[in-house]
Amino acid sequence: MSAAAVLPAKLDGFVRTEFEDTCRRRFFYGLAFDPYGGTAGLYDMGPTMCYLKSNVLAFWRQHFVLEESMCEVDTTCLTPEEVFKASGHVTRFNDVMVRDTVTGECIRADKFLEEWSETQLAAADLPADRRDALLHLLHDAAGMNPAEIQAVLVREQIKSPKGNPFSEPFPFNLMFKTHIGPEGDRVGYLRPELAQGIILNFKRLLDSGNAQRMPFAGACIGSAFRNEIAPRSALIRVREFTLAEIEHFVNPNDKSHERFDRVRDVEVWAWPRERQAANEEPLRLKIGDAVARKTIDNETLGYFIGRVALFLEAIGVRHYRFRQHQSNEMAHYAQDCWDAELLTSYGWIECVGIADRSAFDLTQHSLASKKDLCAREEYPEPRVERRLQRQLTKGLIGKSFGKRAAEVMEYLNTAPAEACEAILAAHQAGQDATVKLCTGEVVITPAMVSFEYKDVKVTGYNYTPSVIEPSFGIGRILYCLLEQSYWVRRDGDAKNEKRAVFGFAPLVAPQKVAILPLMVKPELMAVVQALRDDLVLHGLSVRVDDSGATIGKKYARVDELGVPFAVTVDFEADGAVTLRERDSASQVRVPRTELVTVLQDLCRTMRPRDWASVQAAYPAQAAAADKE
Amino acid sequence: MSAAAVLPAKLDGFVRTEFEDTCRRRFFYGLAFDPYGGTAGLYDMGPTMCYLKSNVLAFWRQHFVLEESMCEVDTTCLTPEEVFKASGHVTRFNDVMVRDTVTGECIRADKFLEEWSETQLAAADLPADRRDALLHLLHDAAGMNPAEIQAVLVREQIKSPKGNPFSEPFPFNLMFKTHIGPEGDRVGYLRPELAQGIILNFKRLLDSGNAQRMPFAGACIGSAFRNEIAPRSALIRVREFTLAEIEHFVNPNDKSHERFDRVRDVEVWAWPRERQAANEEPLRLKIGDAVARKTIDNETLGYFIGRVALFLEAIGVRHYRFRQHQSNEMAHYAQDCWDAELLTSYGWIECVGIADRSAFDLTQHSLASKKDLCAREEYPEPRVERRLQRQLTKGLIGKSFGKRAAEVMEYLNTAPAEACEAILAAHQAGQDATVKLCTGEVVITPAMVSFEYKDVKVTGYNYTPSVIEPSFGIGRILYCLLEQSYWVRRDGDAKNEKRAVFGFAPLVAPQKVAILPLMVKPELMAVVQALRDDLVLHGLSVRVDDSGATIGKKYARVDELGVPFAVTVDFEADGAVTLRERDSASQVRVPRTELVTVLQDLCRTMRPRDWASVQAAYPAQAAAADKE
């Protein structure tokens, strides 16, 4: 991993309007339902970005599912209400909203406060304590509840963007609601995350022979939906998006990771919560050291942070950092959480969340569904443990309590050890014991039950696994990759003309090869067609430009789409073609018979060939063509 | 393409309970939200089926998008109401429902009538005309409106399954409804098909340089949702499913296809509507002949039928036929429609619909959004055409009509030629012309407008493209592939033991290679781990079984998951391993150094190596291992 000396504060020389113009003109993405004027927060992706997406997802499957032997599942977006009641989403999956009391406009409070504090921070000559207070507000806004937000609004006398008073802040549930079935009486929600669908398959995955052993991970790629209050920032805050999530199930008593050595030396920019609290900058950390110092809570969490870093580097992300959640940002059950943030013209954007969700979800679903969702740890050798044994005299209990007998037996069979010991103490003192049930008090005589501690042989124990979740916002990653890959070529003869280039790595490049005939003549077009079919047959995505444009113009067109390699075909007698690399614009002559292999090697997923070795192997060609 | 001599009527020797037991035990698929008892019509797929799905979709992209240079788009599930109002879904995307008037149960009427007629047809000694009438009912039920269904219910005195009277049939809209945005006032639907999302991108795709020329195709893979009245038949009739759709935009005046020669000789089982009407069986047809005879409406439709057949064969579908829609089954705008139906234990299941949707959708969206959604055909040479020219005296019209002037001018600028000629005739006869507008009659004097036919040079014409749509139900295809790939091995020593095998083609097989150590010893496990990493690095999905089971049991386990090749690793000194092919259970010895290449060749997407050539190249190994 290449060590970046400094973490940049912004993307150098990035002009958003020019970038957006290229994206619009080549239809990378655009508002969905465009002829109807679009719908806020709903975007379509065009062909180039579709290829990019499917290449990124294919590599995600290779890097995580295949390499780590994860169990992928494909779960549904439609989710019945009881699932999100148990998980807490129905009551807690809210953003805090404020309403402009005059215009009625709905505004998301935390984002509004963040922007407000950034504006204040931009002022010159701020006193140090005021600056500190504003930085704290900027960092803390995301975790504030309505009352805390109201306090800030009052203290700072903040008005709406239109200068009107705000309503009191109130929670707004972000899930889309619908009804399932012809009777219309069954409430369902569109999932706002994939986690519950994977977690509810835990037992099937454990039992079906796909995993069997703990720990193991489930994985899922799919759509999720959030009814954002104020969608904005292009593909960053939208209402429908693709997630790729991993739920790694692990024994809470042992969060070590078998392959931790593979990431021990991976170095990342990390921003622990203490440094954020002290308004200090991120620092460079080795995963191994961070886990040893408990900066990162445990090995498994650290392992995934390392693997995420390797993933981001492989797909060509240049600027990223890992920010630890502050305590008030995390869900109350989460043990630790780190976000991979990617740099864009909108600032640092959270793209991957890596959270230790503890055993919360499985516990909640087990309680709500009354199903056993445990795993079992077998001891290497059976152990002898002292256990409380219960012996019930069912006939007597039945006779004594009639209809209430079942309740009494349920209680005696499941009451915690202390309660049993209290009964036992009464009985040993020669008294009956009185216990309080839901339906009132009952008297338990010594004849009804006996308790005894016995040594028993125990072969293992059941536990509810902890879940460590890396969750990838694919649309956000793609958008950040777009911004970070974008640059403008100004060399060549056309110095005044700016030419947009997307410098995608061959691994994820939407199309791998452009075929550019030097002239549009039937004989040449037959050669082009044959070459195209040959490359497609070998699984390489190809773009042919057989227009009458100059070769320089054709290069510019495919540079704009991020095509890494271009082949120009002419009538040369040497049986060779010109192969050009996008970023360097350097060219070599490659025999037609070797071309497919060279391109396959340059574009393959694992250990691709580098351009320098191709330059070393074949004669250079002057890059005159670019200037035409 | 291998010619099947006879089209089977059912899957030979298929026992559904055994099949379902294997699918459940190995978690191929299962009801979603299982701990809560599941939800009708919502299914999750487990790891094996996820791999199968992503392999089938990857090949779909290769076979259609890449080979045909289609423009893939990624569009949203959430769709604002105006889109489905224009497309007619809000008023017409209904199934006919009947309600049991006693129990309140909702029943889908067409499916109920189909099942009812099948039950009646099973009776012995049916008179020929009664049999004919029932067959017609069976074929026609899907296209009936509520009144027609009511007529059948009354005529045949049909009661509900519980023996109660039915309500009158009524339409039930199948779209899931929700609300978009924080104000909750914007109605949205979950798309029931992908078509509208692709079609609304027509203009962007045409203009963005991704296509430019007509004809071209848009493509999309994504989720769709239908609130089925009665979900059933495993993965066949569900409420959330994956579709892969192509919308091929073509000039309605020229539906020829450039590459039609590639499918001219493809032979398929076809069931034209005349043969269905005559209760005759499907017949074997060449695509070229079927288009020449107009059995298939046009070349482009025929081309896609041929390409679909090649796709189905490549992914390993064994039994399929193409059934033409009857006139009353098609949407009113459709010109022709063929379904690829796949054979299952539930009968023939519609899995791919290939429809000529004419220019309906683009026309509707153009009208509703008031946007130009046309393509343009340039003539090879400009033509001289006689055109009606209109010259309006705007000042006079303005003065004469005041507030109504805009309406009058709009009329005079856009009125059809006949209406203009009528005005002209009146003027030439020395009279004023009276025309009727929305707001009443107006009198047009000769001074207000002049009409004249002139010869003008025309370089081309605008048109609204027709759309030819192949739409693939991916979940259905996967389920049918499961049923058609399933067989039971009864050979070997264990004659009484039935061993389930899924005979997936290597192209789509969920996992390609099983690695099975003969013993679980640390030295051997190091070899296994190295081999696994090597294969994964080369993109091959691998399954390791390092349990203590016998090798025969291990083979049985991976046969059940459809893994086509298994490598057994032992301590042999010759540096070779045993490679076994699943269906034949035959084995060869392959040097470790050549293994990765052999397996890559056997599993590659395009032109894979066949097992016979591997058997010819390497020494056979007695298949004793299976009998252990």
Side-chain angles (χ1 to χ4, degrees):
Chain A
M1 180 163 303
S2 62
V6 180
L7 195 60
K10 65 190 197 68
L11 291 180
D12 236 15
F14 183 88
V15 182
R16 196 194 289 155
T17 50
E18 291 176 6
F19 164 84
E20 284 179 343
D21 177 63
T22 307
C23 290
R24 189 196 46 71
R25 202 160 31 75
R26 305 309 299 268
F27 186 22
F28 279 38
Y29 61 88
L31 275 174
F33 317 109
D34 176 53
Y36 292 93
T39 302
L42 297 180
Y43 282 87
D44 288 347
M45 294 186 189
T48 300
M49 216 155 157
C50 272
Y51 272 114
L52 191 70
K53 181 180 175 183
S54 77
N55 293 342
V56 166
L57 288 178
F59 181 69
W60 192 88
R61 277 205 173 91
Q62 167 80 25
H63 185 81
F64 290 106
V65 180
L66 198 53
E67 278 191 45
E68 311 267 1
S69 296
M70 293 176 174
C71 299
E72 190 178 341
V73 290
D74 190 11
T75 64
T76 60
C77 301
L78 284 169
T79 309
E81 188 173 35
E82 60 251 52
V83 171
F84 289 128
K85 274 191 171 159
S87 67
H89 284 81
V90 170
T91 49
R92 279 194 296 258
F93 196 70
N94 304 314
D95 273 343
V96 180
M97 190 145 95
V98 283
R99 207 185 283 268
D100 181 313
T101 51
V102 177
T103 67
E105 190 194 0
C106 294
I107 292 171
R108 192 173 145 184
D110 58 346
K111 294 290 166 192
F112 181 78
L113 282 189
E114 285 174 7
E115 283 159 20
W116 181 87
S117 34
E118 274 175 348
T119 312
Q120 303 293 312
L121 278 165
D125 300 326
L126 275 182
D129 57 342
R130 175 66 178 162
R131 197 182 156 70
D132 257 26
L134 286 168
L135 276 172
H136 275 296
L137 177 57
L138 178 63
H139 294 157
D140 294 347
M144 288 184 171
N145 63 32
E148 289 163 340
I149 286 172
Q150 175 68 355
V152 175
L153 293 178
V154 169
R155 186 178 71 229
E156 302 282 353
Q157 301 189 316
I158 299 172
K159 298 266 183 247
S160 85
K162 298 275 190 312
N164 302 318
F166 274 130
S167 71
E168 289 227 353
F170 58 97
F172 172 74
N173 195 287
L174 298 181
M175 291 195 294
F176 289 102
K177 191 174 186 171
T178 189
H179 293 88
I180 303 173
E183 283 86 4
D185 53 357
R186 189 135 198 231
V187 169
Y189 293 97
L190 293 176
R191 61 181 175 195
E193 57 166 33
L194 314 185
Q196 305 309 321
I198 307 173
I199 289 169
L200 284 170
N201 276 306
F202 163 70
K203 204 70 182 171
R204 278 204 286 227
L205 290 173
L206 184 69
D207 293 345
S208 66
N210 288 301
Q212 294 283 18
R213 299 174 209 171
M214 294 287 295
F216 76 93
C220 184
I221 297 172
S223 295
F225 306 81
R226 294 183 189 178
N227 195 8
E228 287 289 349
I229 295 165
R232 63 170 79 173
S233 311
L235 300 184
I236 293 172
R237 207 186 321 157
V238 295
R239 287 178 169 149
E240 178 174 342
F241 44 94
T242 300
L243 293 177
E245 290 192 357
I246 295 163
E247 307 293 336
H248 181 90
F249 301 100
V250 61
N251 189 330
N253 301 319
D254 178 11
K255 292 182 180 173
S256 65
H257 198 289
E258 191 177 18
R259 293 185 294 281
F260 187 68
D261 277 342
R262 290 171 63 188
V263 301
R264 197 177 287 281
D265 293 327
V266 172
E267 211 174 275
V268 297
W269 284 107
W271 202 13
R273 62 170 75 95
E274 296 76 22
R275 290 182 75 88
Q276 296 169 52
N279 288 328
E280 292 171 340
E281 293 297 303
L283 80 170
R284 201 86 185 140
L285 268 187
K286 276 194 183 166
I287 301 287
D289 296 341
V291 170
R293 285 185 218 141
K294 278 293 210 179
T295 307
I296 298 172
D297 184 73
N298 59 69
E299 269 194 10
T300 299
L301 199 62
Y303 181 75
F304 280 113
I305 290 173
R307 292 289 292 165
V308 167
L310 294 173
F311 172 79
L312 293 175
E313 302 249 335
I315 64 170
V317 170
R318 288 162 177 80
H319 311 299
Y320 64 95
R321 67 182 189 191
F322 288 92
R323 189 180 71 79
Q324 190 173 31
H325 274 211
Q326 305 193 58
S327 313
N328 68 344
E329 254 181 292
M330 293 196 287
H332 62 282
Y333 51 82
Q335 193 147 347
D336 192 7
C337 183
W338 291 77
D339 284 343
E341 297 183 330
L342 276 59
L343 186 59
T344 71
S345 62
Y346 296 98
W348 290 95
I349 303 297
E350 165 202 344
C351 289
V352 188
I354 307 147
D356 184 335
R357 295 175 78 117
S358 76
F360 177 77
D361 306 272
L362 280 171
T363 305
Q364 290 297 103
H365 289 305
S366 182
L367 286 171
S369 69
K370 299 188 172 41
K371 293 278 158 54
D372 162 33
L373 300 176
C374 286
R376 186 168 172 80
E377 175 87 21
E378 297 292 340
Y379 297 128
E381 299 290 333
R383 297 181 188 174
V384 174
E385 288 182 6
R386 209 165 163 73
R387 289 281 174 86
L388 183 72
Q389 305 286 303
R390 303 150 195 250
Q391 196 79 43
L392 274 62
T393 314
K394 290 185 186 168
L396 177 61
I397 296 174
K399 226 166 57 184
S400 309
F401 297 107
K403 274 195 289 188
R404 295 175 68 196
E407 190 191 2
V408 173
M409 284 193 270
E410 165 80 10
Y411 176 81
L412 293 176
N413 275 321
T414 60
E418 310 80 67
C420 297
E421 278 167 18
I423 298 173
L424 183 60
H427 290 177
Q428 284 172 340
Q431 298 167 351
D432 292 343
T434 303
V435 298
K436 209 172 162 183
L437 303 185
C438 296
T439 55
E441 289 192 344
V442 289
V443 174
I444 307 294
T445 66
M448 290 176 181
V449 64
S450 69
F451 297 105
E452 193 182 348
Y453 277 96
K454 272 193 184 159
D455 283 344
V456 289
K457 205 166 85 174
V458 181
T459 59
Y461 65 97
N462 291 343
Y463 63 92
T464 303
S466 274
V467 172
I468 291 178
E469 173 195 86
S471 169
F472 298 70
I474 298 298
R476 287 185 170 194
I477 291 174
L478 294 177
Y479 179 79
C480 298
L481 195 53
L482 280 192
E483 278 209 8
Q484 294 191 13
S485 303
Y486 174 80
W487 58 283
V488 175
R489 200 195 297 279
R490 286 190 171 82
D491 54 7
D493 275 4
K495 281 216 175 66
N496 298 322
E497 203 184 332
K498 292 179 182 178
R499 290 174 164 184
V501 183
F502 281 95
F504 301 124
L507 172 69
V508 298
Q511 286 168 312
K512 310 298 183 198
V513 188
I515 307 181
L516 312 175
L518 272 178
M519 287 152 289
V520 188
K521 298 211 168 168
E523 318 89 88
L524 205 56
M525 289 316 295
V527 176
V528 164
Q529 197 55 43
L531 179 57
R532 178 202 172 273
D533 290 350
D534 198 11
L535 290 170
V536 167
L537 186 70
H538 287 86
L540 289 165
S541 48
V542 176
R543 180 170 196 90
V544 176
D545 185 345
D546 56 3
S547 71
T550 63
I551 191 70
K553 182 79 189 155
K554 287 183 183 183
Y555 281 144
R557 280 184 191 162
V558 296
D559 283 353
E560 249 181 13
L561 299 176
V563 185
F565 304 106
V567 178
T568 47
V569 182
D570 52 27
F571 283 113
E572 296 296 328
D574 65 351
V577 294
T578 300
L579 177 62
R580 170 188 182 264
E581 192 274 335
R582 178 197 57 215
D583 297 335
S584 62
S586 58
Q587 307 184 345
V588 293
R589 294 286 291 175
V590 178
R592 170 68 185 84
T593 50
E594 295 170 31
L595 183 67
V596 174
T597 309
V598 169
L599 285 168
Q600 277 193 303
D601 290 348
L602 284 164
C603 298
R604 71 169 166 245
T605 305
M606 306 310 287
R607 298 181 188 160
R609 184 172 183 178
D610 66 4
W611 179 247
S613 92
V614 175
Q615 284 184 301
Y618 297 100
Q621 163 94 345
D626 261 34
K627 302 178 185 173
E628 277 177 40
Chain B
M1 181 162 303
S2 63
V6 181
L7 194 61
K10 65 187 197 68
L11 292 179
D12 237 16
F14 183 88
V15 182
R16 195 193 290 155
T17 48
E18 290 176 6
F19 164 84
E20 285 180 342
D21 176 62
T22 306
C23 290
R24 189 195 47 70
R25 202 161 30 77
R26 304 311 298 268
F27 186 23
F28 279 40
Y29 61 87
L31 275 174
F33 316 109
D34 176 54
Y36 292 93
T39 302
L42 297 179
Y43 282 87
D44 289 346
M45 294 186 189
T48 300
M49 216 154 159
C50 272
Y51 272 114
L52 191 69
K53 181 179 175 184
S54 76
N55 293 342
V56 165
L57 288 177
F59 182 69
W60 190 89
R61 277 206 174 92
Q62 166 80 23
H63 185 80
F64 291 107
V65 180
L66 199 53
E67 279 191 45
E68 311 266 1
S69 297
M70 293 175 174
C71 299
E72 190 177 342
V73 290
D74 191 12
T75 65
T76 60
C77 301
L78 283 169
T79 308
E81 188 173 35
E82 60 252 52
V83 172
F84 290 128
K85 274 190 171 161
S87 68
H89 284 81
V90 170
T91 50
R92 279 195 296 260
F93 196 70
N94 305 314
D95 273 343
V96 180
M97 189 146 94
V98 284
R99 206 185 282 268
D100 181 314
T101 52
V102 177
T103 67
E105 190 193 1
C106 293
I107 293 172
R108 188 171 149 185
D110 59 346
K111 293 290 166 192
F112 181 78
L113 283 189
E114 284 173 7
E115 281 159 22
W116 180 87
S117 36
E118 273 176 346
T119 313
Q120 304 292 309
L121 278 165
D125 300 326
L126 275 182
D129 57 343
R130 174 66 178 161
R131 197 183 154 71
D132 259 24
L134 286 167
L135 276 172
H136 275 295
L137 178 57
L138 178 63
H139 294 158
D140 295 348
M144 288 182 170
N145 64 32
E148 289 164 339
I149 286 170
Q150 175 69 353
V152 175
L153 293 177
V154 169
R155 186 178 72 230
E156 302 282 353
Q157 302 190 315
I158 298 172
K159 298 269 185 247
S160 86
K162 298 275 190 312
N164 302 319
F166 274 131
S167 70
E168 289 226 355
F170 59 97
F172 172 73
N173 195 287
L174 298 180
M175 291 195 295
F176 289 101
K177 192 176 187 170
T178 190
H179 293 88
I180 303 175
E183 283 86 5
D185 53 357
R186 188 133 199 233
V187 170
Y189 293 98
L190 294 176
R191 63 182 174 196
E193 55 167 33
L194 314 186
Q196 306 309 323
I198 307 174
I199 288 169
L200 284 171
N201 277 305
F202 164 70
K203 203 70 181 171
R204 276 202 289 225
L205 290 174
L206 185 69
D207 294 343
S208 66
N210 290 302
Q212 294 281 19
R213 299 177 207 167
M214 292 286 294
F216 76 92
C220 183
I221 297 172
S223 294
F225 305 81
R226 295 182 189 178
N227 195 6
E228 287 288 348
I229 296 165
R232 62 170 80 175
S233 311
L235 300 185
I236 293 173
R237 209 187 318 156
V238 294
R239 287 178 169 149
E240 179 174 339
F241 45 94
T242 300
L243 293 178
E245 289 193 357
I246 295 163
E247 308 293 336
H248 182 89
F249 302 100
V250 62
N251 188 329
N253 301 319
D254 178 10
K255 293 182 181 173
S256 65
H257 198 288
E258 193 178 17
R259 294 185 294 283
F260 187 69
D261 276 342
R262 290 170 63 186
V263 302
R264 200 178 284 282
D265 293 326
V266 171
E267 211 174 276
V268 298
W269 285 107
W271 203 11
R273 63 170 73 95
E274 297 75 23
R275 291 182 74 88
Q276 294 169 52
N279 288 328
E280 291 169 340
E281 293 297 304
L283 81 170
R284 202 81 187 146
L285 269 186
K286 274 192 185 169
I287 300 289
D289 297 340
V291 171
R293 286 184 216 141
K294 280 292 211 181
T295 305
I296 297 172
D297 184 72
N298 60 69
E299 268 193 11
T300 299
L301 199 61
Y303 180 75
F304 281 113
I305 292 174
R307 291 288 293 166
V308 167
L310 294 172
F311 171 79
L312 294 174
E313 302 249 335
I315 63 170
V317 170
R318 288 160 177 83
H319 311 300
Y320 65 96
R321 67 184 188 190
F322 288 92
R323 188 180 72 79
Q324 190 174 31
H325 275 210
Q326 305 193 59
S327 314
N328 69 344
E329 250 180 293
M330 292 196 290
H332 63 282
Y333 52 82
Q335 193 147 345
D336 193 7
C337 184
W338 292 77
D339 284 343
E341 298 183 331
L342 276 58
L343 186 59
T344 70
S345 62
Y346 295 99
W348 290 94
I349 302 299
E350 167 202 345
C351 289
V352 189
I354 305 147
D356 184 335
R357 294 175 79 118
S358 75
F360 177 77
D361 306 272
L362 279 172
T363 306
Q364 291 296 105
H365 289 305
S366 182
L367 285 172
S369 68
K370 300 189 170 41
K371 293 277 158 55
D372 162 33
L373 300 176
C374 287
R376 183 167 173 83
E377 175 86 22
E378 297 292 340
Y379 296 129
E381 298 290 333
R383 296 180 189 176
V384 174
E385 287 182 7
R386 210 167 163 71
R387 290 278 175 87
L388 185 71
Q389 305 287 306
R390 304 150 193 249
Q391 196 76 45
L392 275 62
T393 315
K394 290 185 186 170
L396 176 61
I397 297 175
K399 225 164 60 183
S400 311
F401 297 108
K403 272 195 290 186
R404 294 174 70 196
E407 190 190 4
V408 172
M409 285 194 268
E410 165 81 9
Y411 177 81
L412 293 175
N413 274 321
T414 59
E418 309 83 65
C420 298
E421 278 167 18
I423 298 172
L424 184 59
H427 291 178
Q428 282 170 342
Q431 298 167 355
D432 292 345
T434 304
V435 297
K436 210 172 160 183
L437 304 185
C438 296
T439 56
E441 289 190 345
V442 290
V443 175
I444 307 293
T445 64
M448 289 176 184
V449 65
S450 70
F451 296 106
E452 194 181 349
Y453 276 97
K454 273 195 181 154
D455 284 343
V456 290
K457 205 167 85 174
V458 181
T459 59
Y461 65 97
N462 293 343
Y463 63 91
T464 303
S466 275
V467 172
I468 292 178
E469 172 194 87
S471 169
F472 298 70
I474 298 297
R476 286 186 171 193
I477 291 174
L478 294 177
Y479 179 79
C480 298
L481 194 54
L482 279 191
E483 278 209 8
Q484 293 191 13
S485 304
Y486 173 81
W487 60 283
V488 175
R489 202 194 295 278
R490 286 192 171 82
D491 54 9
D493 276 3
K495 279 215 177 65
N496 297 324
E497 203 186 330
K498 294 179 180 178
R499 290 173 165 183
V501 183
F502 281 94
F504 301 124
L507 173 69
V508 298
Q511 287 167 310
K512 310 299 184 196
V513 188
I515 307 180
L516 312 174
L518 273 178
M519 287 152 288
V520 188
K521 299 209 170 169
E523 317 89 271
L524 205 56
M525 289 316 295
V527 176
V528 164
Q529 197 56 42
L531 178 59
R532 177 202 172 274
D533 289 349
D534 198 12
L535 290 170
V536 166
L537 186 70
H538 287 86
L540 289 163
S541 49
V542 175
R543 184 173 192 86
V544 176
D545 184 346
D546 56 3
S547 71
T550 65
I551 190 72
K553 183 76 189 160
K554 288 183 182 181
Y555 282 144
R557 281 183 191 162
V558 294
D559 284 353
E560 248 181 15
L561 299 177
V563 185
F565 304 107
V567 178
T568 47
V569 182
D570 52 27
F571 282 113
E572 295 297 326
D574 64 351
V577 294
T578 300
L579 178 61
R580 170 189 183 260
E581 191 275 334
R582 176 198 58 215
D583 297 336
S584 63
S586 58
Q587 307 185 347
V588 294
R589 292 288 289 176
V590 178
R592 171 68 186 84
T593 51
E594 294 171 32
L595 183 67
V596 173
T597 309
V598 169
L599 284 168
Q600 277 193 304
D601 291 348
L602 283 164
C603 297
R604 70 169 167 244
T605 306
M606 308 308 288
R607 297 182 189 156
R609 183 172 185 178
D610 68 2
W611 179 246
S613 92
V614 175
Q615 285 184 301
Y618 296 99
Q621 163 94 344
D626 262 33
K627 300 176 184 171
E628 276 177 41

